[in-house]
Amino acid sequence: MERIAEANSVVVIGLGRFGGALALELAAAGTEVLGIDMNEDVVQSFNGRLTHVVRADSTKEEALRQLSVHEFERAVVGIGSDLEASILTTSSLLRFKKPTIWAKAVSAAHGQILEQLGVEHVVRPEEDMGRRVAHLVRGAMLDYIEFEDGFAMVKTRPPKEALNKPLGMTGIRAKHHITVVAVKRRNSEWDYTTPQTVLNEDDEIIVAGATLAAERFAALI
């Protein structure tokens, strides 16, 4: 197999719903992707869609070495249905020391084990999506991203107090402890805001700030 362990390459181990979607998204963005899965049917379904896709037992360290996985800078473990396979695969990657690892966790216990092993990036897709959708259902937000340190970015519409005057004159930042960082006009592209930006009722905006502050601001519309 041609070696693809370059700087702009990622190995994705486990091509289920999460790993498969992630691998295809990376490939669409121009990233070279080595996909690995135990299921031959799954491997065949990705043939020609990723840079390379192979059937291999990722719990075997030697199999990963033969595929030059130890030379990759980034690795994603998308295995969720087999806890033992996830842990053994991740342990092998950690022994390689080189790849930065993202590993999927399907439960709190699974995530805790991965963190105790030393995985820097533990991904909890179902839990994270559940929290995100809950925020969208609960408020007036159009989209929502929360970071680990209690900071969030929210897509919403401007409240009345932010309309028809320059942002720098609204006092919003001091009053609500958030920053309006970008605006999208109707039939236009996203653009950064400035203190001189004037918002209209049908604009979409992106607000950044502490999670609760951003949520409260979005609820003003």
Side-chain angles (χ1 to χ4, degrees), residues 135 138-142 154-163 167 170-180 199 201 205 207 211-221:
H135 285 291
R138 192 175 67 202
M141 292 172 274
L142 303 174
V154 170
K155 181 167 78 170
T156 185
R157 296 197 183 276
K160 289 182 179 180
E161 64 182 275
L163 300 177
L167 275 173
T170 61
I172 283 176
R173 187 169 185 174
K175 181 178 179 181
H176 298 288
H177 308 291
I178 55 87
T179 301
V180 181
L199 300 178
E201 188 175 3
I205 57 174
V207 172
T211 301
L212 288 178
E215 290 178 352
R216 290 192 186 106
F217 184 78
L220 294 175
I221 65 172

Side-chain angles (χ1 to χ4, degrees), residues 21-83:
L22 184 146
L24 291 174
E25 190 70 20
L26 288 170
T31 302
E32 294 189 328
V33 179
L34 168 61
I36 301 173
D37 199 279
M38 272 288 291
N39 188 304
E40 181 63 30
D41 291 337
V42 171
V43 169
Q44 289 300 321
S45 72
F46 283 89
N47 191 30
R49 305 168 74 189
L50 306 177
T51 313
H52 292 291
V53 57
V54 296
R55 181 183 181 277
D57 184 353
S58 63
T59 66
K60 307 297 184 183
E61 184 173 330
E62 184 57 31
L64 297 178
R65 287 190 180 275
Q66 289 177 356
L67 295 170
S68 300
V69 170
H70 59 290
E71 298 181 5
F72 279 75
E73 297 290 342
R74 294 165 291 171
V76 178
V77 181
I79 302 170
S81 58
D82 188 335
L83 184 62

Side-chain angles (χ1 to χ4, degrees), residues 7-195:
N8 187 35
S9 61
V10 179
V11 56
V12 179
I13 304 173
L15 297 173
R17 285 181 299 177
F18 170 76
L22 184 146
L24 291 174
E25 190 70 20
L26 288 170
T31 302
E32 294 189 328
V33 179
L34 168 61
I36 301 173
D37 199 279
M38 272 288 291
N39 188 304
E40 181 63 30
D41 291 337
V42 171
V43 169
Q44 289 300 321
S45 72
F46 283 89
N47 191 30
R49 305 168 74 189
L50 306 177
T51 313
H52 292 291
V53 57
V54 296
R55 181 183 181 277
D57 184 353
S58 63
T59 66
K60 307 297 184 183
E61 184 173 330
E62 184 57 31
L64 297 178
R65 287 190 180 275
Q66 289 177 356
L67 295 170
S68 300
V69 170
H70 59 290
E71 298 181 5
F72 279 75
E73 297 290 342
R74 294 165 291 171
V76 178
V77 181
I79 302 170
S81 58
D82 188 335
L83 184 62
E84 181 179 359
S86 168
I87 293 169
L88 290 174
T89 298
T90 303
S91 296
S92 292
L93 293 174
L94 288 167
R95 284 194 293 273
F96 294 158
K97 297 187 183 300
K98 188 173 183 179
T100 300
I101 302 169
W102 285 260
K104 174 185 174 181
V106 296
S107 67
H110 188 190
Q112 186 175 17
I113 291 170
L114 292 172
E115 289 171 348
Q116 289 173 346
L117 286 173
V119 177
E120 185 176 355
H121 306 285
V122 177
V123 183
R124 300 171 174 84
E126 289 85 2
E127 180 181 330
D128 293 344
M129 182 56 71
R131 283 203 303 267
R132 183 165 175 255
V133 172
H135 285 291
L136 299 178
V137 170
R138 192 175 67 202
M141 292 172 274
L142 303 174
D143 208 347
Y144 175 92
I145 300 175
E146 184 176 11
F147 301 91
E148 293 180 358
D149 54 358
F151 190 87
M153 297 187 74
V154 170
K155 181 167 78 170
T156 185
R157 296 197 183 276
K160 289 182 179 180
E161 64 182 275
L163 300 177
N164 304 320
K165 56 184 173 182
L167 275 173
M169 298 179 59
T170 61
I172 283 176
R173 187 169 185 174
K175 181 178 179 181
H176 298 288
H177 308 291
I178 55 87
T179 301
V180 181
V181 297
V183 59
K184 184 177 186 297
R185 312 290 190 188
R186 180 178 292 182
N187 301 321
S188 186
E189 302 292 331
W190 284 102
D191 194 11
Y192 294 108
T193 58
T194 70

